[in-house]
Amino acid sequence: MTESSLARRLAGDAIVDTTVATRRHEQAQHADKSPEERAALLRLAWSV
């Protein structure tokens, strides 16, 4: 997403940069969990 000119054109730099930073933070916070556990934890966070 960081390199996507389409995403940046549609959503704007601030949204893309914030979304990427948030996802990176989430990955770092839950690095010790399996992909399935991370998906379960973050599913509700992004669907509300």
Side-chain angles (χ1 to χ4, degrees):
M1 185 174 201
T2 300
E3 303 298 322
S4 173
S5 60
L6 177 62
R8 289 186 177 282
R9 198 167 52 246
L10 293 174
D13 289 335
I15 296 295
V16 170
D17 292 342
T18 301
T19 301
V20 169
T22 300
R23 291 297 195 168
R24 287 181 177 156
H25 173 76
E26 290 170 344
Q27 289 174 345
Q29 288 297 110
H30 302 293
D32 60 326
K33 296 177 179 50
S34 71
E36 293 80 14
E37 289 173 313
R38 279 194 308 265
L41 282 168
L42 300 174
R43 184 174 298 118
L44 292 177
W46 285 91
S47 64
V48 187

